[in-house]
Amino acid sequence: MILIFTNKQDVHSDEVIRTLYKKGIEVFRLNSEDLLRKYRINLHIDKNGLWTGEITDELGRILNLDRLKVAWLRKPDFDFFGKIAESAEEQFIASETKSFINLLYSIPSIRWINDPFIANKAKVKFQQLLLANKYGVKIPKTLITTQPETAKNFFRECGEEVLVKTIYTGNITIDGINQGILSTKIGKDDFYQFYKTISLAPTQLQEYVEKAFELRITVIGEKVFAVKIDSQAHEETKVDWRLHTQMNPHSIFELPAKIEKFCIEFLKEQNLLYGAMDFIVTPNNEYVFLENNPFGQYLWLEIETKIPLTEAMCDLLISYLNA
């Protein structure tokens, strides 16, 4: 059996589960937002140190944790009550539930794709840029600062045109609605109006890199799949295409051998089995690494181009099931 830890809205898991069932592979889906309502949990260590563990779902299906070999961590939602924990009791319950999840992540006999503790460090973009540079791949000049005058000097160094980007997440919840925060291109007319507020919180600035097009490179094990995203075709997507994905022409792209090798080696050094990597390709045909998301989405790429990402993910999971 394979465990998939996700949430109820995750269509990636839907597709992988359908494909695994067609291959005769049994799957146990654990939806995090139902963890306290629809699952029963038992873990036990006896006096001899032997342990057993099981999670039972609302249909009575049992996942034997002590026999589980492989699990896929897709993208759980840790909203255990259908709202933010408010009372002291709810906060304590949420804390204990998250502690159980960390326990689940730590069971040494389970191979996680990706290992949650490793991926938590690997998702930090600053260290990703350092690693890409180590491999000789071009990266954008980057500044993270709380000093307005330092930011002003960097802005001038970049020709008075920079991107303002979040340090990690581009999502924020406002009035219960999850909203994306786009990277924003800033010129001198705007920069000098806001730059003194940089002292309020660490702020990331990057040089603006001109684009011919962009790449989303999905690495699954040692298989590399590249999709060209023609983000410059529409004004709305030239700076950040993510909120208007459907507008961008997509096509399967053949990577240079050097970049494909880098993607594989990058993930190996980060101890990851899956990654969703973003690159810019400049008008001079330079490849510029932006970031890698250890939990990034990929299904829309398959829908747009028929590239076999679901099949590759299933093959990876099955390879550890049979190991």
Side-chain angles (χ1 to χ4, degrees):
M1 183 177 284
I2 292 172
L3 168 64
I4 297 180
F5 190 23
T6 185
N7 59 57
K8 290 186 288 188
Q9 288 74 41
D10 178 30
V11 293
H12 292 69
S13 294
D14 297 341
E15 289 300 316
V16 167
I17 289 169
R18 274 193 283 268
T19 303
L20 287 171
Y21 276 144
K22 288 178 183 177
K23 294 176 180 289
I25 305 298
E26 196 173 1
V27 180
F28 190 97
R29 179 171 183 155
L30 182 61
N31 291 321
S32 56
E33 64 267 62
D34 286 337
L35 191 57
L36 297 177
R37 295 187 287 269
K38 296 184 177 180
Y39 299 91
R40 300 192 305 275
I41 300 164
N42 286 294
L43 291 102
H44 176 249
I45 303 174
D46 69 17
K47 64 180 181 180
N48 297 314
L50 298 175
W51 78 280
T52 56
E54 59 185 39
I55 299 176
T56 306
D57 68 13
E58 61 182 337
L59 300 176
R61 298 173 68 245
I62 297 173
L63 173 69
N64 292 297
L65 294 171
D66 47 303
R67 285 184 253 161
L68 182 65
K69 289 185 176 182
V70 60
W72 183 29
L73 179 62
R74 241 304 290 162
K75 193 167 281 189
D77 178 0
F78 299 124
D79 180 8
F80 302 120
F81 302 101
K83 60 181 179 65
I84 297 173
E86 295 174 352
S87 67
E89 290 83 0
E90 286 179 342
Q91 291 175 20
F92 177 75
I93 291 168
S95 175
E96 288 294 278
T97 305
K98 287 179 181 177
S99 295
F100 164 74
I101 290 168
N102 282 334
L103 180 159
L104 189 62
Y105 292 159
S106 72
I107 295 173
S109 55
I110 302 173
R111 184 58 184 260
W112 284 91
I113 302 172
N114 283 307
D115 183 294
F117 299 124
I118 291 173
N120 195 47
K121 176 183 176 182
K123 71 185 182 184
V124 178
K125 296 174 186 177
F126 191 79
Q127 61 86 28
Q128 293 178 9
L129 293 172
L130 297 177
L131 180 56
N133 183 67
K134 171 185 166 182
Y135 278 101
V137 174
K138 187 174 176 61
I139 59 173
K141 288 188 292 188
T142 301
L143 173 70
I144 298 174
T145 186
T146 58
Q147 304 299 305
E149 292 304 311
T150 301
K152 184 167 69 174
N153 292 335
F154 181 79
F155 180 66
R156 290 172 175 169
E157 179 187 329
C158 294
E160 295 190 309
E161 189 174 72
V162 296
L163 280 181
V164 179
K165 302 177 68 173
T166 56
I167 294 174
Y168 172 59
T169 183
N171 294 307
I172 187 170
T173 300
I174 301 175
D175 296 329
I177 300 173
N178 188 263
Q179 301 181 30
I181 301 175
L182 294 178
S183 300
T184 304
K185 184 179 178 182
I186 299 292
K188 61 182 178 181
D189 291 341
D190 296 319
F191 180 82
Y192 292 108
Q193 293 182 30
F194 93 93
Y195 84 100
K196 290 186 178 178
T197 64
I198 284 172
S199 63
L200 298 175
T203 302
Q204 179 169 236
L205 306 175
Q206 280 188 344
E207 67 171 320
Y208 184 74
V209 179
E210 293 293 338
K211 308 167 186 175
F213 56 89
E214 298 181 63
L215 294 173
R216 171 58 72 93
I217 303 173
T218 307
V219 186
I220 302 175
E222 293 195 9
K223 296 179 180 178
V224 181
F225 304 89
V227 172
K228 175 183 176 181
I229 301 172
D230 192 0
S231 60
Q232 304 307 287
H234 300 280
E235 196 64 36
E236 299 93 329
T237 63
K238 284 185 175 180
V239 175
D240 192 326
W241 53 262
R242 290 173 295 176
L243 289 189
H244 302 282
T245 304
Q246 72 283 356
M247 297 179 68
N248 301 291
H250 289 61
S251 56
I252 296 173
F253 187 81
E254 186 173 349
L255 287 172
K258 175 185 174 182
I259 299 299
E260 181 170 334
K261 181 181 178 183
F262 159 75
C263 293
I264 293 171
E265 291 181 348
F266 181 96
L267 257 67
K268 282 184 177 178
E269 184 150 345
Q270 297 265 273
N271 292 313
L272 300 174
L273 293 167
Y274 171 84
M277 308 177 81
D278 290 326
F279 276 78
I280 288 170
V281 179
T282 72
N284 295 324
N285 204 39
E286 290 183 300
Y287 287 71
V288 182
F289 171 85
L290 296 179
E291 63 183 78
N292 174 57
N293 186 341
F295 305 108
Q297 298 189 48
Y298 63 80
L299 190 59
W300 98 92
L301 300 169
E302 185 165 83
I303 293 169
E304 291 284 346
T305 68
K306 310 304 180 186
I307 198 166
L309 299 173
T310 296
E311 189 73 25
M313 179 57 72
C314 290
D315 288 345
L316 180 64
L317 291 165
I318 291 169
S319 71
Y320 284 98
L321 183 63
N322 295 331

